[in-house]
Amino acid sequence: MKPRPYMLIGFFLSLLLTIVPLSGNFTNAATPTAVTPVSALSFTQGVQKTVLDNGLTVLTKEVHTAPVVSVQVWYKVGSRNEVKGENGISHQLEHLMFKGTNDRPVQFGRLFSALGSQFNAFTSYDETAYFGTVQRDKLEALLTLEADRMENSLVGPEQLTSEKRVVISELQGYENSPGYRLSRAVMRAAFPNRAYGLSVGGTKADVEKFTVEQVRNYYQTYYSPENATLVITGDFATEPALKVVKETFGKLSQRAKTGTGRALNNSSASSSLADASPSTPVAKKAPIVLKQPGSAALLQAVYPLPDIKHPDVPAIDVMDAILTGGRSSRLYQALVESGLASSVSGGAAELIEPGWYEIDATAAPGQELGKIAQVLQESLVKLQQQPVTPEELNRAKTQMQASYILGNQDITSQANQLGYNQTIAGDYRFIEKYLAAIAKVTPAQVQQAAKTYLNPAKQTIGFFEPTQPDGKPGTSSAGSGRTVENFSPGKPVDPAELAKYLPPATSATDSNKQSLPEEFTLNNGVKVLLLSDRNLPTINLSGQIDAGTEFDGNQKAGLANLTANNLMNGTQTKNALTLAKTLEDKGADLSFSASREGVNVSGQGLSANLPILIQTLADVLENATFPADQLELSRQRALTNLKVQLDDPKGLGRQVFQQAIYPENHPFHSFPKAESLKSITRDDLLGFYQTHYRPDTTTIALVGDFDPVKVKALLNQVFGKWQATGKPPILKVPSVPLPQTLTRLNKVIPGKAEAVTYIGYSGISRKDPRYYAALVLNQILGGDTLSSRLGTEVRDRQGLTYGIYSGFAAGINPGPFLIQMQTAPGDAQKAIASTLALLKQLREQGVTEAEFNTAKRSITNSYPVDLANPSNVSSIILDNAVLGLSRSEIQEFPQRIQAVTMVDMQQAIEDLIKPENLVIVTTGPGETVPKGG
């Protein structure tokens, strides 16, 4: 009963401006074996529930595995509470909660960033949540800030006007996704009389009309202590923390009952739940068909479900795992393995009010959506007519139970679990009853759930049929030089001004003495890093093989990816389905994906299943057979993915940007084309595999609950026969000069609502001595869309973008320095001009001492939060080893940041900020380059 990703909308603070996924498979293939119930005590043990006099529910859980704490505030309000004409007001208010308070009239993102908090927020159907994770000494500061904005947020004309533009930019960005547009049409048809049928983010038409009084009234009604749950997890002492909670939140008054003209938890759905009842007879609806510009053909089917507390919910979720949980699932086998679809996923939305079950599929090239719908229906009928096998049932339960353990390895996720259950189910202990019920689900209950809820008469199905299925991105134009540059940015935010609004930390935290991994090399050359962590019964595996796309060349672009994607398709002793079941029966997961400089290996499982994970890894690395039929299926999926990428302003823009920086003969220039993918043969895959998949180019990092002595013996045993001959291939990557002048490129993709712009040039490598100074510089410039100079100017002051970020893609070789933003097409020019002016300002005036020190503190204070998640630790250890850094880098990184001087910073600006040499690429719905530019 976790919130599915497709239910959330809000700030997603990462370098890539991610579209919210429209469907998420609940069982993310991560999970134990014999299906005894997972003890839910690990989730709820030690939780203390306190209700303050003003009605605020407080959940505290001490977890002393890392020196960090997570603070989350969950409000029981979401799009469910919206009435006609105000769709999106919950989401709009979420944005305004970052704009400051009466006592602290500053962007709260800057305050959180200065504390080193990893923070975020989201709005969903039933809830709006705000969360931050920090070093333990910042707990009181976070509580003070959250209490302040619960009662004193600034909801005024200035804040609303600028943040409306930001929200509309966000909504228009989602419009770029055909899947989003299809989902919106299907949900409106499925729930015509209910708030759940509306988009969580709202509509542009409604957002434009919001008034200050309307939003303020909504805030006064729902952001009240008795309508909220405060969750604190991590390394703290309960009694002193509760004392601070009472001093900060305890003084807030209840507001929801004070005549605001709106009943608390009012919902437009409350009087019209008939369309949610599975037993209500309804004539079968005709499919919804969207014929619009796009790439791949899409299908979405939705079926009404009961609410989260209904006794059928465990059986429904087991049913979902059987249908869509991993490669061995029924719908994957029926649709993807048959070649009809390139992907299929599903998920149950069980909410405060009756929800829905959703199935999504992307058609393979040349396949008809009608045929996919037919096979889908046949699979559902079979589930209704025949009981599932004991093997399927056990696999589904195992996957689900283990996914809860693997999904709660960090304290942020544990707080999330508690907040979700308390807010949506009304009881943080709901997870205990739920997991106990999962363990008892029978084949008959699954069959009955399928009969009851997968009723064709209750189905709402939609087809997206692209009108540009060849994936060609339309017209392009190029210009160099003159962007309008009469723009003058405001002064950078003064951190000294910020400091007066920042609550103090309680005391200095001793820097966490992160344990160092043990490092050794097997006789055949495999490099291994082991870090034992006995706090949780889990294993996190990260690996890299030097077989990345840099070895492709233009003629065979896509070869590295196809090779990696076919590793799990069969070995000398196991076919694809057997390999999948070997892992999925235990709830474990192993995947491979090619990036520019290597093939990434990712694995997770419960510690009892470490041998199976390692044995499977060794088997596919040594004995992959690349069956011809599976190669054809994966080729079709790659062709579909290529169409989707070329139809996405982000994907196409990044490719055009990269190819403008790196010349045609450079390894970083190559990107797959339909022609190159179609030309790749099985012999090409075998040759690439035999040449590049070698023990002496493989690095494996393991973090988790294991005995290092036993793991060493296991690794020597399973990898012992894997030998390489000769020397590994070496690729010399030439350095790339900066462009001589400013270069503008524009690509038009029909049917899009927002433009995406990339700005930059070739940057530095990870081992460049200027790297740490570059990180501090980037933190100031655009490391965070709410607290950086770019975010302050382009997002906050002007409201031109939902997100703007900068970053150095520093690998073994120099990757690009880039700035990325999403804007309305008409705003792209102004946003680019603002960005160029900020770069010139940075170049000419440098940074202030206060800015510099704040940025360093922000990076070093945030670092322990990264180390609090075992999955992150395995990735950090691996990356450090692959990049040739010292084993102690994981400990010494904060000191290296602190050692950066103002002289280093000035040198980095001089060397790395070149406003006259930029490549600027904009992709989107129309011309954004000025005529004659």
Side-chain angles (χ1 to χ4, degrees):
M1 292 325 323
K2 295 181 184 177
R4 311 290 196 281
Y6 60 80
M7 300 182 201
L8 315 179
I9 220 166
F11 291 124
F12 290 83
L13 306 177
S14 64
L15 183 61
L16 296 176
L17 299 168
T18 312
I19 298 290
V20 180
L22 289 164
S23 65
N25 188 345
F26 175 53
T27 55
N28 242 353
T31 28
T33 177
V35 193
T36 49
V38 168
S39 171
L41 287 178
S42 56
F43 303 117
T44 59
Q45 192 169 25
V47 175
Q48 181 174 321
K49 179 180 176 182
T50 307
V51 180
L52 303 190
D53 292 342
N54 60 10
L56 179 72
T57 299
V58 184
L59 302 177
T60 52
K61 180 183 180 183
E62 295 183 28
V63 185
H64 300 289
T65 54
V68 297
V69 289
S70 187
V71 172
Q72 303 190 4
V73 182
W74 289 66
Y75 294 95
K76 194 174 180 179
V77 59
S79 60
R80 177 179 73 94
N81 304 87
E82 296 166 4
V83 296
K84 190 175 181 182
E86 63 174 30
N87 182 209
I89 196 170
S90 306
H91 176 225
Q92 180 70 72
L93 180 55
E94 175 218 316
H95 278 245
L96 288 167
M97 290 287 284
F98 285 87
K99 299 296 277 187
T101 63
N102 297 324
D103 292 338
R104 296 180 175 85
V106 292
Q107 165 58 257
F108 262 45
R110 281 182 223 127
L111 298 175
F112 293 137
S113 183
L115 291 171
S117 175
Q118 292 190 8
F119 65 96
N120 219 319
F122 67 82
T123 306
S124 189
Y125 295 97
D126 294 334
E127 77 276 15
T128 308
Y130 303 82
F131 44 101
T133 304
V134 291
Q135 288 190 89
R136 60 187 170 209
D137 61 308
K138 313 293 190 308
L139 172 60
E140 188 170 335
L142 265 194
L143 292 170
T144 302
L145 292 174
E146 288 295 355
D148 188 17
R149 65 175 175 172
M150 180 178 279
E151 186 164 85
N152 304 309
S153 281
L154 290 171
V155 182
E158 184 186 339
Q159 291 83 12
L160 182 58
T161 300
S162 75
E163 213 58 30
K164 268 189 189 182
R165 289 192 74 178
V166 171
V167 166
I168 289 168
S169 170
E170 179 183 356
L171 296 179
Q172 295 297 94
Y174 300 142
E175 292 287 336
N176 282 353
S177 163
Y180 175 83
R181 302 199 297 272
L182 177 63
S183 179
R184 180 178 56 200
V186 169
M187 289 298 289
R188 280 178 180 169
F191 303 111
N193 303 312
R194 300 186 52 207
Y196 285 165
L198 301 173
S199 302
V200 170
T203 64
K204 183 181 177 185
D206 280 4
V207 170
E208 285 174 336
K209 289 186 224 159
F210 291 153
T211 65
V212 170
E213 183 184 20
Q214 194 180 6
V215 181
R216 199 177 278 156
N217 182 40
Y218 202 79
Y219 172 60
Q220 293 284 345
T221 301
Y222 291 110
Y223 279 59
S224 186
E226 79 280 17
N227 198 45
T229 298
L230 168 67
V231 187
I232 310 170
T233 56
D235 193 17
F236 68 97
T238 301
E239 289 312 311
L242 284 175
K243 183 169 181 286
V244 176
V245 168
K246 285 166 186 171
E247 289 166 358
T248 51
F249 286 89
K251 64 186 180 186
L252 306 182
S253 57
Q254 293 188 7
R255 300 181 308 199
K257 297 171 186 172
T258 58
T260 55
R262 182 197 291 272
L264 193 61
N265 289 332
N266 166 58
S267 168
S268 61
S270 56
S271 62
S272 53
L273 297 182
D275 60 345
S277 168
S279 59
T280 308
V282 179
K284 188 173 180 182
K285 304 172 190 170
I288 294 154
V289 180
L290 297 188
K291 294 188 177 183
Q292 298 174 356
S295 51
L298 308 174
L299 173 151
Q300 183 178 75
V302 164
Y303 305 83
L305 287 184
D307 64 74
I308 191 171
K309 293 183 181 177
H310 194 282
D312 287 350
V313 159
I316 292 166
D317 287 350
V318 173
M319 175 190 79
D320 170 44
I322 288 167
L323 285 172
T324 66
R327 187 167 188 168
S328 61
S329 67
R330 290 195 175 190
L331 291 184
Y332 191 97
Q333 289 295 312
L335 295 174
V336 180
E337 291 288 0
S338 68
L340 285 172
S342 60
S343 67
V344 64
S345 60
E350 291 130 346
L351 306 172
I352 290 176
E353 291 172 5
W356 64 93
Y357 182 61
E358 176 181 323
I359 298 170
D360 298 272
T362 302
Q367 297 294 338
E368 293 294 324
L369 290 170
K371 175 67 174 171
I372 293 174
Q374 178 193 331
V375 173
L376 168 62
Q377 184 56 37
E378 289 167 1
S379 299
L380 301 185
V381 168
K382 184 179 177 185
L383 188 62
Q384 292 166 336
Q385 293 178 346
Q386 299 171 18
V388 298
T389 66
E391 178 195 17
E392 281 182 297
L393 187 68
N394 288 343
R395 183 184 307 124
K397 291 181 182 182
T398 300
Q399 286 182 332
M400 294 174 70
Q401 291 177 348
S403 73
Y404 275 90
I405 296 174
L406 290 161
N408 282 285
Q409 293 186 87
D410 61 288
I411 62 157
T412 304
S413 299
Q414 290 177 41
N416 205 284
Q417 183 79 61
L418 294 170
Y420 184 77
N421 280 290
Q422 182 64 36
T423 305
I424 311 306
D427 181 5
Y428 74 89
R429 292 182 303 262
F430 177 79
I431 184 72
E432 298 172 19
K433 304 165 200 162
Y434 173 76
L435 287 175
I438 289 289
K440 293 176 185 170
V441 169
T442 65
Q445 288 173 317
V446 173
Q447 188 177 6
Q448 187 57 48
K451 284 180 182 174
T452 304
Y453 300 107
L454 302 180
N455 179 352
K458 297 294 297 179
Q459 177 197 68
T460 306
I461 193 165
F463 299 153
F464 181 88
E465 297 179 354
T467 55
Q468 281 192 301
D470 56 2
K472 288 181 180 170
T475 59
S476 66
S477 63
S480 67
R482 304 204 310 268
T483 302
V484 183
E485 291 179 25
N486 56 359
F487 174 80
S488 178
K491 283 187 177 179
V493 175
D494 180 6
E497 180 73 11
L498 198 66
K500 69 185 184 187
Y501 300 121
L502 206 59
T506 50
S507 63
T509 298
D510 296 333
S511 60
N512 177 34
K513 275 295 172 194
Q514 169 65 44
S515 303
L516 294 182
E518 182 181 356
E519 186 176 322
F520 57 93
T521 303
L522 302 183
N523 291 334
N524 59 4
V526 175
K527 185 186 281 188
V528 180
L529 299 114
L530 297 181
L531 184 59
S532 181
D533 177 355
R534 310 311 284 264
N535 288 308
L536 291 163
T538 60
I539 295 297
N540 295 276
L541 182 151
S542 297
Q544 180 163 316
I545 302 139
D546 297 345
T549 62
E550 62 187 2
F551 289 107
D552 273 357
N554 291 323
Q555 297 305 309
K556 297 288 182 182
L559 175 57
N561 245 314
L562 271 181
T563 306
N565 292 340
N566 275 271
L567 287 172
M568 295 291 288
N569 283 338
T571 66
Q572 290 166 15
T573 55
K574 292 184 173 79
N575 64 17
L577 183 57
T578 306
L579 278 171
K581 286 180 177 177
T582 299
L583 295 169
E584 290 168 10
D585 283 350
K586 305 295 184 184
D589 178 62
L590 180 65
S591 61
F592 301 85
S593 62
S595 62
R596 189 62 63 185
E597 293 188 327
V599 168
N600 305 311
V601 186
S602 178
Q604 274 195 320
L606 300 182
S607 47
N609 301 316
L610 174 61
I612 287 167
L613 202 56
I614 296 293
Q615 285 158 5
T616 305
L617 174 64
D619 191 19
V620 298
L621 290 182
E622 297 177 51
N623 305 310
T625 52
F626 303 99
D629 58 340
Q630 290 288 349
L631 168 58
E632 288 313 311
L633 289 174
S634 63
R635 189 198 312 278
Q636 295 306 308
R637 289 194 290 272
L639 288 165
T640 302
N641 291 339
L642 177 62
K643 286 181 182 180
V644 171
Q645 182 187 352
L646 294 179
D647 184 53
D648 178 358
K650 292 194 303 294
L652 178 64
R654 183 61 190 262
Q655 177 174 331
V656 173
F657 173 75
Q658 189 120 342
Q659 291 187 325
I661 293 173
Y662 300 103
E664 198 169 337
N665 60 353
H666 194 282
F668 289 7
H669 181 92
S670 73
F671 280 81
K673 295 179 180 173
E675 298 76 23
S676 65
L677 288 170
K678 288 173 181 173
S679 76
I680 293 169
T681 65
R682 180 173 178 271
D683 284 345
D684 291 329
L685 261 68
L686 280 168
F688 192 88
Y689 174 67
Q690 288 157 1
T691 303
H692 297 285
Y693 283 73
R694 304 165 51 100
D696 52 358
T697 63
T698 299
T699 306
I700 299 168
L702 275 170
V703 174
D705 177 24
F706 56 76
D707 178 342
V709 175
K710 290 181 180 173
V711 172
K712 276 188 200 175
L714 175 66
L715 290 168
N716 277 308
Q717 176 196 337
V718 298
F719 283 110
K721 294 176 185 171
W722 191 25
Q723 299 295 328
T725 55
K727 293 191 174 178
I730 293 177
L731 194 68
K732 290 195 174 175
V733 177
S735 59
V736 175
L738 295 181
Q740 293 299 302
T741 58
L742 197 76
T743 304
R744 286 292 317 262
L745 298 167
N746 192 59
K747 286 279 184 181
V748 177
I749 310 180
K752 301 304 171 188
E754 285 283 278
V756 172
T757 298
Y758 290 91
I759 301 173
Y761 36 64
S762 185
I764 57 173
S765 71
R766 176 60 178 86
K767 291 183 87 170
D768 190 297
R770 299 165 295 187
Y771 175 76
Y772 300 99
L775 274 189
V776 179
L777 166 62
N778 188 67
Q779 180 70 18
I780 294 167
L781 175 63
D784 181 323
T785 200
L786 293 186
S787 63
S788 63
R789 284 194 183 188
L790 286 169
T792 298
E793 189 63 61
V794 183
R795 185 193 190 281
D796 246 23
R797 286 183 182 153
Q798 299 183 61
L800 295 175
T801 178
Y802 166 52
I804 182 167
Y805 309 89
S806 63
F808 288 89
I812 297 167
N813 297 292
F817 162 72
L818 76 165
I819 296 166
Q820 180 188 346
M821 66 179 117
Q822 168 189 301
T823 61
D827 288 338
Q829 269 308 106
K830 190 174 181 187
I832 291 166
S834 305
T835 301
L836 296 188
L838 279 164
L839 290 172
K840 288 185 174 178
Q841 182 190 65
L842 182 61
R843 174 88 187 174
E844 291 162 6
Q845 300 174 21
V847 301
T848 66
E849 188 94 35
E851 253 187 319
F852 172 68
N853 290 328
T854 300
K856 290 205 294 185
R857 273 198 305 274
S858 179
I859 295 170
T860 56
N861 286 343
S862 172
Y863 188 62
V865 180
D866 287 328
L867 299 182
N869 186 335
S871 178
N872 288 348
V873 172
S874 73
S875 296
I876 292 168
I877 288 170
L878 175 79
D879 289 346
N880 289 344
V882 167
L883 291 162
L885 304 172
S886 122
R887 196 167 54 102
S888 58
E889 173 70 17
I890 193 167
Q891 277 184 352
E892 294 167 0
F893 174 79
Q895 288 80 13
R896 296 190 197 280
I897 292 291
Q898 287 297 350
V900 175
T901 65
M902 277 292 273
V903 173
D904 297 331
M905 173 60 52
Q906 194 51 49
Q907 189 64 52
I909 292 171
E910 195 174 315
D911 293 350
L912 303 176
I913 302 299
K914 307 281 188 182
E916 302 80 22
N917 306 102
L918 291 164
V919 171
I920 303 172
V921 173
T922 301
T923 49
E927 292 288 345
T928 53
V929 176
K931 297 296 180 189

